[in-house]
Amino acid sequence: MVAENTVLNRTELTQSGESYELKPVSLPQRGNARVRNLTPAQKRAVMFAQQQVLRARAAKKAKDDRQAALNRMWMQDEDAPEAKRSTKISADDSQDNVQNVSLREAIGHVLRDLRTKDHKTLREVSENAGVSLGYLSEVERGQKEASSELLSSIAEALGVSVPQMLRMVADYLESLEN
């Protein structure tokens, strides 16, 4: 039996920058009977769990940093009215653009407008709609025609119904004619 004032040696995993290192830690033995009785495999499992916790914290911090950057970007867009996208086009260009704007381009324009006004990323909408990110991007740019089922799921992911979205498309095309 070990005396109560002896010290039990173990290592602790710490993160410094982007690397992890093991540092020896001295613990008083009193109250640490469980630590003393761990097998080497159990000690490795504890160290692995500590690594996972540190990695999860780092991932959460990175995610929070990305979200903060997105929020700053959206705030800058709202503060600069000249940077805002406008659904109306000047009267000089309207006659030329009416002939050049296809229905799929108008749908794409409205979908992108809805997404940016809600401060959603392409990734968020594509995941919620069950559409690949690349395909959604092509639909927004008017390069692909989406099926009615796909338009329905995209509209739902954007928080509007299909009739509302189609009315917005009609209004956009009408604004190009006037």
Side-chain angles (χ1 to χ4, degrees), residues 62-74 119 124:
K63 181 180 177 185
D64 291 345
D65 291 346
R66 281 193 304 273
Q67 189 59 46
L70 276 175
N71 289 342
R72 284 192 303 274
M73 181 182 73
W74 293 124
H119 303 298
E124 291 170 337

Side-chain angles (χ1 to χ4, degrees), residues 79-98:
D79 292 342
E82 67 277 355
K84 280 188 175 181
R85 292 178 57 114
S86 174
T87 57
K88 301 220 188 262
I89 295 179
S90 68
D92 299 337
D93 297 335
S94 66
Q95 292 304 319
D96 294 336
N97 286 333
V98 169

Side-chain angles (χ1 to χ4, degrees), residues 25-131:
V25 176
S26 299
L27 296 173
Q29 185 169 352
R30 184 178 197 163
N32 288 322
R34 286 187 220 147
V35 173
R36 183 181 63 215
N37 295 329
L38 290 179
T39 66
Q42 290 170 326
K43 289 179 184 177
R44 284 192 302 273
V46 168
M47 287 178 51
F48 180 74
Q50 289 174 338
Q51 287 176 341
Q52 296 296 14
V53 168
L54 289 174
R55 286 183 184 141
R57 286 181 185 158
K60 183 180 182 324
K61 183 180 181 325
K63 181 180 177 185
D64 291 345
D65 291 346
R66 281 193 304 273
Q67 189 59 46
L70 276 175
N71 289 342
R72 284 192 303 274
M73 181 182 73
W74 293 124
M75 293 305 289
Q76 288 173 354
D77 285 350
E78 290 173 358
D79 292 342
E82 67 277 355
K84 280 188 175 181
R85 292 178 57 114
S86 174
T87 57
K88 301 220 188 262
I89 295 179
S90 68
D92 299 337
D93 297 335
S94 66
Q95 292 304 319
D96 294 336
N97 286 333
V98 169
Q99 296 168 350
N100 295 335
V101 174
S102 67
L103 180 59
R104 73 170 180 257
E105 289 172 334
I107 289 172
H109 176 83
V110 168
L111 291 176
R112 178 167 286 169
D113 228 26
L114 285 169
R115 180 179 59 79
T116 56
K117 284 181 182 174
D118 281 349
H119 303 298
K120 292 183 179 177
T121 63
L122 270 171
R123 184 173 308 281
E124 291 170 337
V125 175
S126 70
E127 287 172 358
N128 290 339
V131 179

